[in-house]
Amino acid sequence: MDRETALALEAFTTRYCDAWQRSYQTWPQSEELYGVPSPCIISSTGTMVTWQPQPFTLAENVNAIERALDIVVQPALHAFYTTQFAGDMRARFQSETFTLLQTWSPDDFRRVQENLIGHLVTQKRLKLSPTLFIGTLESDTEVISLCNLSGEVVKETLGRRQSVVLSSSLTAFLNELEPVL
């Protein structure tokens, strides 16, 4: 596993959880994850779940993607999706505010890998560079992704060659993130 990326993700998660503690005197909360089983759940009340990141308990790789498409995935992506179970976290990178995706449970990890496979198959069909999404923006047509060729983090328009490089690496990108509550 890419230890630098894992440490950068853990550091951002700590900043995010600390911001929740300072602002609301609680661990992060989510309405979207209410009722969805996860090892992260501390408590559920009304329509809200309170969560805390937990260690990842499965094999620390996304080999299902590699096997399905006969490719090698950037080590940083393996680390990104297998460092922890956690809820999605709102973040800001420079002027971009987005949702940093995480895996909530073992079932969610399998679903994320399936979605990444589907994303890569579509890109291959459209003859686009292979990218693997790590974040979503307000627009349904734009995502934050890791370029599987260069290792750069990009903001891309789905189905188009349009992309903007945000950072030279996933580690550098995660280190610059600011929590958004």
Side-chain angles (χ1 to χ4, degrees):
M1 178 168 51
D2 179 345
R3 193 71 193 132
E4 289 179 0
T5 299
L7 290 172
L9 177 60
E10 289 170 347
F12 171 70
T13 304
T14 298
R15 291 193 305 275
Y16 184 82
C17 292
D18 288 350
W20 267 89
Q21 291 287 347
R22 279 191 307 277
S23 294
Y24 304 109
Q25 292 74 50
T26 182
W27 286 95
Q29 297 181 326
S30 171
E31 290 181 0
E32 293 83 16
L33 297 170
Y34 178 78
V36 181
S38 170
C40 301
I41 296 172
I42 297 172
S43 65
S44 294
T45 54
T47 60
M48 191 80 66
V49 62
T50 302
W51 62 269
Q52 179 180 11
Q54 295 297 314
F56 194 78
T57 56
L58 305 173
E60 293 179 355
N61 61 62
V62 291
N63 289 352
I65 297 168
E66 293 182 329
R67 284 190 307 272
L69 297 165
D70 196 27
I71 63 170
V72 175
V73 171
Q74 288 275 336
L77 190 89
H78 287 277
F80 179 79
Y81 278 117
T82 66
T83 293
Q84 63 190 7
F85 289 117
D88 295 343
M89 296 174 275
R90 297 282 296 153
R92 183 177 302 105
F93 180 83
Q94 297 171 1
S95 64
E96 294 293 341
T97 299
F98 65 100
T99 300
L100 187 71
L101 301 175
Q102 290 290 278
T103 55
W104 181 239
S105 67
D107 286 342
D108 189 39
F109 178 66
R110 284 185 279 284
R111 183 190 60 77
V112 166
Q113 286 190 96
E114 290 168 1
N115 288 342
L116 286 165
I117 290 167
H119 179 71
L120 286 165
V121 166
T122 298
Q123 288 178 313
K124 186 176 182 177
R125 185 175 46 80
L126 296 173
K127 295 179 175 50
L128 300 173
S129 295
T131 61
L132 300 134
F133 54 80
I134 60 166
T136 58
L137 293 137
E138 291 297 319
S139 166
D140 291 343
T141 61
E142 294 179 314
V143 293
I144 305 293
S145 298
L146 179 69
C147 177
N148 201 49
L149 301 177
S150 67
E152 296 170 323
V153 175
V154 299
K155 175 183 169 184
E156 68 176 313
T157 302
L158 296 171
R160 306 260 169 115
R161 294 193 194 286
Q162 236 175 301
S163 69
V164 176
V165 175
L166 299 176
S167 183
S168 62
S169 74
L170 185 51
T171 299
F173 178 78
L174 293 168
N175 282 331
E176 286 188 47
L177 291 185
E178 298 172 27
V180 174
L181 305 183

